[in-house]
Amino acid sequence: MSDAAGIETDADVQQEVPLRRNEGFRMLWIGQLLSDTGSGIGLLAYPLLILALTHSAVLAGVVGTSRAITLLCLQLPAGALSDRFDRRLTMIICDIMRAVLLALLGILIVTHLASWPVVLVVCLIEGGAGAIFNPAAAAALPGIVPDRQLEQASAATEARTYAAALAGPALGGALFGLGQAVPFLANAVSYVVSFGTVNRIRGQFRPENAAERKALWREVADGLQVVWQVPILRAVAITAPLMNFAFTGVIFTVTLALRHHGTSTAVIGLVQATIAAGGLLGAIVAPRLQGRMRLGALATTITLAGALLFGAAAPLLPSPLVAAPIAIALLLAPAVNAALFAVTLRSAPAEMRGRVINTVVMATTALAALAPLTAGLLVQHVSGAWAVGAFAATAAAAAVLCLILPGLRHAA
C-alpha cells in the first residue's frame, strides 16, 4: 500500500496491464455490479412493498431509516472484521447469505405470509451482509490493481455503482409491477451470480498479521484515529454527512411523493434511473477531471450545485421532470468519490484498510440514516416540495463548510 507520499506497494512491482485485461479486477467489478444492481432493486422494492402492505409513507420511512441505522451501527465493527478474515471468502459468504434470505422472502410474499415486520427483518439482515461485503471488496482492491491505477479503478468502480443505480430502480419498479415477489427473487439471483464471479478471483486476500489482533473495539479505535489524523479525511467526515443526507433525502422523497400522487411504479423506476444516469455520465467524465480539479474544489462545486439544483427541483414535484435537476446535481459525485477513495486507501496501512474505509463511510453516511424518516414525515405532513426544499438548505450548509474548513480548502 502506498501512503500519501507515494510509497509503492507490492502490486506496483507486478506487471501493469490495462484494467480491462486484469482478470481479478474484471471479476470483482462484475460481482459488485450484480450485487449493487440487486441492492438497487431492493432499495425501491422495499418501500413499495411496505406501502402496499401498510399504505403508510411514515412506516416506509421507518423501515428505510431502520436499515440505514443498522448499517451505521455495523460500519465500524464490519471494517475491523474485514481486516481479520480472508476478504474474498467474506464476500462469498455474504453473497450466499443474501441470496438465501431474499429467496425466502419471495416465497413468503407469494404465499401471503409476509408482513411489514418480516420485511423489516429481511431488509436489516440483507443490509448488514452488504455492510460486511463492501469493506472486504474495497480493501481487496489494492491487491488486485497497482497503486498507480487506483484512481482509474476507483472511477471504474463509480461507473459500476451508478450503472447499477440506474438499472436497479428501473428493474425494481418494472419487476414490482409484475408481482410483489418478483424483484426480491431477481435480487436473490443477482447475488448467486455475484458469488460465481467473486469465486473466480485469485490471489492472497487474507490480511497480514491477522492472527496478531487486539480487542475488536481497540481495532475500531485505531481506524478512527487514522481518519481524524488525516486533515482531508477529517474535513470530509464533517461536511459529507450533510451532503449525503441531502442526496438520500431528495431521492427518497421523489419515490414517496410520486407514489403519493398515484404515479405508477414503472414510471417511478424510470425517474430513479434517470437520476442515476446523471451519476453514470459523471463516472464517464470522472477520469478526465482527475488531475484537473482539486478534491477541495470538486467538493465545494458539488455542494453548491446540489443546493441550487435541489431548490430548482422542489417546485417540479409531482412531475417526473423532477429527475432532471437531481441528475445534473450528481454529475460531479463520481469524480469526488473516486478521488476520496484513492486518498483513503493511500492513507491507510495495508492491515487497516477495511477499518479506515468503513470509518470514512460511517462518518459520511451517519446523518443520512435519518433521511428516509425525515422524508416520510415531511411528505405525509407537509409536501414533497417542502421536503426537497429542506434538503436543498442542508446542501447549502455543506457548501459553507467546504469553503471554511482548511482540510478541504488546501486539499490537493
Side-chain angles (χ1 to χ4, degrees), residues 13 46 74 94 103 138 166 204 216 245 250 270 346 354 384:
V13 301
Y46 280 122
L74 288 176
C94 289
L166 189 155
Q204 176 55 252
L216 189 65
F245 175 78
V250 166
L270 289 175
R346 291 192 176 109

Side-chain angles (χ1 to χ4, degrees), residues 12 18 33 55 61 84 105 113 125 154 184 197 230 256 263-264 276 304 317 336 358 384 389 406:
D12 286 308
L33 173 65
H55 307 289
R84 289 191 174 195
L105 176 59
L113 295 176
I125 297 176
S154 298
F184 300 100
T197 59
V230 179
L256 296 181
T263 305
S264 71
L304 285 171
L317 279 173
V336 175
N358 261 30

Side-chain angles (χ1 to χ4, degrees), residues 297-316:
L298 284 169
T300 301
T301 302
I302 193 174
T303 52
L304 285 171
L308 295 173
L309 289 164
F310 291 164
L316 293 177

Side-chain angles (χ1 to χ4, degrees), residues 90-171:
T90 298
M91 289 186 279
I92 289 173
I93 293 172
C94 289
D95 274 339
I96 293 173
M97 181 186 304
R98 291 185 288 186
V100 172
L101 192 66
L102 287 165
L104 290 174
L105 176 59
I107 293 171
L108 290 175
I109 295 172
V110 170
T111 56
H112 304 289
L113 295 176
S115 60
W116 78 262
V118 170
V119 177
L120 173 62
V121 170
V122 171
C123 183
L124 297 184
I125 297 176
E126 186 218 348
I132 298 173
F133 179 101
N134 292 333
L141 186 62
I144 297 174
V145 303
D147 180 80
R148 284 182 289 271
Q149 291 183 335
L150 279 179
E151 280 86 0
Q152 185 182 357
S154 298
T157 299
E158 285 294 306
R160 179 212 77 220
T161 299
Y162 284 103
L166 189 155
L171 285 172

